[in-house]
Amino acid sequence: MANVWVFVDQFKGEALPVSWEVLGAARKLAGSGKVSALVFGQGVEAIAQQAIQYGADEVLLGEDASLADYRPEPYAALISQLAAEAKPDVLLFPTSTRGRELAAMAGVDLDAGVLVDVIEVALDGDTLSATRPIYAGKLLSKVETSTKPALATLRVRAFGKPELDEGRSGEVKKVSPAMADGDAPTKVVEYAAAEGSVSLGDAAIIVSGGRGTSNNPDLQPPADITDEKEQEIWRAQQGFKLIGELAEVLGAAVGASRAAVDAGYVPYSHQVGQTGKVVAPDLYIASGISGAIQHLAGMRTSKVIVAINKDPDAPIFKLARFGVVGDLYKIVPALTAAFKERLNK
Amino acid sequence: MKIAVFVKQVPDSAATLSVKGGQPDWGDAPLVINPWDEYAVEAALLLAEANGGEVTAFSFGSESAADALKHALAMGVSDAVLLSDPALSGADAGVAARVMAAAIAKLSEVDLAVFGKQAIDSDTGLAPSMTARLLGWPSLTLVAAVDALDASAKTIKVQRSMEEGRQVVQGKLPAVISVVKDYGEPRYPSFMGIRKASKAEIPTWSMADLGIEAPTSRVTWPEIMAPPMREVSNEIIEGSSPEEIAGKLADKIIAEGVL
Ligand SMILES: Cc1cc2nc3c(=O)[nH]c(=O)nc-3n(C[C@H](O)[C@H](O)[C@H](O)COP(=O)(O)OP(=O)(O)OC[C@H]3O[C@@H](n4cnc5c(N)ncnc54)[C@H](O)[C@@H]3O)c2cc1C
Ligand SMILES: Nc1ncnc2c1ncn2[C@@H]1O[C@H](COP(=O)(O)O)[C@@H](O)[C@H]1O
């Protein structure tokens, strides 16, 4: 039995789905103990109700203008103050940008151990023990901490999402900010436009393209593109158009190899791999990607991997449940058509 | 202005890892500067060039970590210091951050501490925010660009690369930033730089030099394991036309129940 707290990560009034995965894990860790959700922001009462329906017994709701824009210092100050007073046994965060840095800062404030990006977690007496991938998943490490509270961030899609139970009820307690707005050392000036909707981390299906997307000698770039590099990028964009169409039919996110990113075919936010995003979707379709170790490190735990590559010796085939040795320019559009027909789209 | 940049020595990203005697083993793969930290060094150098100032590189680790510092020197930083002490083996992220914060304090009058996004061996990404917190400085992680920096007014404006897009944040100096790839390709070490680096004497600061007691780790790692082998049955889909192949493949994917 333990008291477990969960930081519910939200952006502009919408909770990140991984927050509910963390609540589900917290419920299991707590046993007959209490699960409390921390919901901070402005206009986030609806999230507090959702947190209860996903398994929280209680919500500590920080509704305040100073918490409207996410900033690490006011958020961390409030988490640490509340935890120092109420002394929960465990404090969980999603492994998101905000979750990771808040865990780091609260860890310092509370002089507590922080277990990062774990894929399994258990409580053994006073010890929180977990498993986490290291070296981009090339190895696994058991990690433990016995501080009170013990902190951990939980990897996206590693813990199942609990069922929403509309019948659940719980108490919502208002909490006041721990830091006056004027004392915060930073100010959010604006949100620049997002680079498309690339939520690679929590995508169930990812369709990725690599350097092979530029390899179609039959394609004639428009006459005004004379630079060779520009012509290559133009060709790759035609290839990524095909990748994008397949992704659309499947409701998938678009990924890429580093070679495709470095060559300027697509923005970095699409990169999968050791120095990009580490992903584990149910289905990963790689086209024109050779399967370098750094790329494999980022996607090898995907449930079903499909590889489309001209070269029968490409290393990606070793990981692939299904492989097609062929030209992505021919196979990918045919696959899009085949799915359209079968999925009635 | 005075800039500190933190670089870690890690096994090459192409290394195949295994477990030997309970420890990670990377065979004869070389140790290199953490790839993310090359971006941090690049950012530190660009900021020093634009605003006037000097860059000092620090690495925390065993003696071999001096190689990461040599790489930073070859790229152009003015000074390098190894943070090393036998009392600190098995340091967790919190201990590393305490050592790094103490190094920043000892260097004194630092305006900006620049970190990489994450170390590719331990993959924690905690050091920048932990160090910031220990120093009481703003933590500006995952910086894709510095829009403005005023060393005399002590202000900085950065673009943070968040899941939802870029957040433009104004903050006060001194501050900690961690840098992501969008910042710009790291420069190659110059010939002169490599010569300078190879001759450089790199000083070591121990805990006594830093004036701190060895901090205690809060996290332990009792076991390192190879990930379970995945049994993948490979199946190459063939056919006489792309349409036939695609049709078969679509049916098989649907049969896997992953859509
Ligand atoms: C420090 C470091 C970190 C790295 N991190 C990452 C990372 O995070 N992610 C990552 O992906 N890489 C990473 N890399 C790079 C990695 O080593 C490879 O260079 C990269 O993954 C190769 O990308 P690719 O497979 O698209 O290109 P290539 O290796 O060039 O492969 C292209 C493939 O396309 C096939 N092809 C060509 N034309 C066609 C066609 N018309 N139809 C079908 N197939 C075709 C070819 O047969 C070939 O197999 C990193 C490297 C380093 C040094
Ligand atoms: N031992 C170390 N020596 C120097 N810098 C480090 C060390 N560990 C972490 N860092 C810095 O902190 C960043 C984040 O690392 P980490 O939090 O360990 O994933 C790295 O990119 C480095 O800039």
Side-chain angles (χ1 to χ4, degrees), chain B residues 42 62 84 167 204 212 225 229 231:
Chain B
E42 178 66 25
S62 62
S84 194
Q167 191 192 34
T204 299
I212 58 170
M225 302 154 287
M229 282 292 279
E231 289 292 327

Side-chain angles (χ1 to χ4, degrees), chain A residues 61-312:
Chain A
L61 176 67
E63 262 279 335
D64 194 83
S66 67
L67 301 169
D69 282 318
Y70 167 76
R71 288 172 299 173
E73 289 80 14
Y75 271 58
L78 185 51
I79 293 172
S80 301
Q81 187 188 68
L82 294 170
E85 280 164 14
K87 301 196 169 32
D89 299 293
V90 180
L91 185 42
L92 301 179
F93 301 79
T95 309
S96 54
T97 300
R98 291 175 285 262
R100 195 192 292 259
E101 73 184 3
L102 290 173
M105 295 166 80
V108 167
D109 294 349
L110 301 163
D111 196 8
V114 187
L115 313 180
V116 188
D117 203 22
V118 308
I119 55 172
E120 282 169 12
V121 64
L123 252 179
D124 182 8
D126 290 338
T127 301
L128 188 69
S129 74
T131 306
R132 59 182 303 262
I134 54 173
Y135 298 89
K138 291 176 192 170
L139 296 177
L140 296 175
S141 174
K142 287 250 182 249
V143 281
E144 290 181 358
T145 185
S146 303
T147 56
K148 184 175 165 127
L151 275 54
T153 81
L154 273 52
R155 177 172 282 198
V156 183
R157 287 175 55 80
F159 300 83
K161 190 172 162 187
E163 293 286 325
L164 184 99
D165 175 359
E166 290 185 356
R168 277 183 61 87
S169 60
E171 195 187 343
V172 177
K173 288 187 191 156
K174 291 239 169 152
V175 295
S176 320
M179 181 180 250
D181 200 22
D183 292 339
T186 57
K187 199 175 134 219
V188 176
V189 183
E190 60 170 330
Y191 290 93
E195 292 144 346
S197 54
V198 208
S199 193
L200 276 181
D202 45 24
I205 304 176
I206 295 175
V207 183
S208 284
R211 205 197 310 263
T213 52
S214 64
N215 182 22
N216 184 349
D218 296 343
L219 279 178
Q220 259 323 309
D224 59 327
I225 303 182
T226 49
D227 181 66
E228 230 172 80
K229 183 78 216 164
E230 297 290 314
Q231 291 183 339
E232 177 192 333
I233 293 180
W234 182 84
R235 284 204 179 86
Q237 282 165 350
Q238 313 314 305
F240 266 97
K241 209 177 275 169
L242 303 178
I243 304 268
E245 284 161 8
L246 176 56
E248 200 180 323
V249 174
L250 295 174
V254 172
S257 71
R258 170 160 163 184
V261 171
D262 284 356
Y265 304 169
V266 289
Y268 169 64
S269 48
H270 294 271
Q271 186 180 316
V272 170
Q274 188 157 14
T275 51
K277 295 231 169 57
V278 176
V279 299
D282 296 328
L283 174 62
Y284 188 92
I285 304 181
S287 301
I289 294 179
S290 61
I293 188 165
Q294 297 98 341
H295 189 80
L296 301 183
M299 43 65 78
R300 64 182 318 137
T301 58
S302 306
K303 248 185 224 148
V304 174
I305 294 169
V306 177
I308 300 166
N309 196 304
K310 269 185 159 171
D311 173 8

Side-chain angles (χ1 to χ4, degrees), chain B residues 3 38-48 114 177 179 183-184 187:
Chain B
I3 300 176
E38 293 184 58
Y39 295 94
V41 174
E42 178 66 25
L45 291 171
L46 288 175
L47 289 168
V114 186
I177 65 172
V179 173
Y183 207 100
R187 63 195 68 187

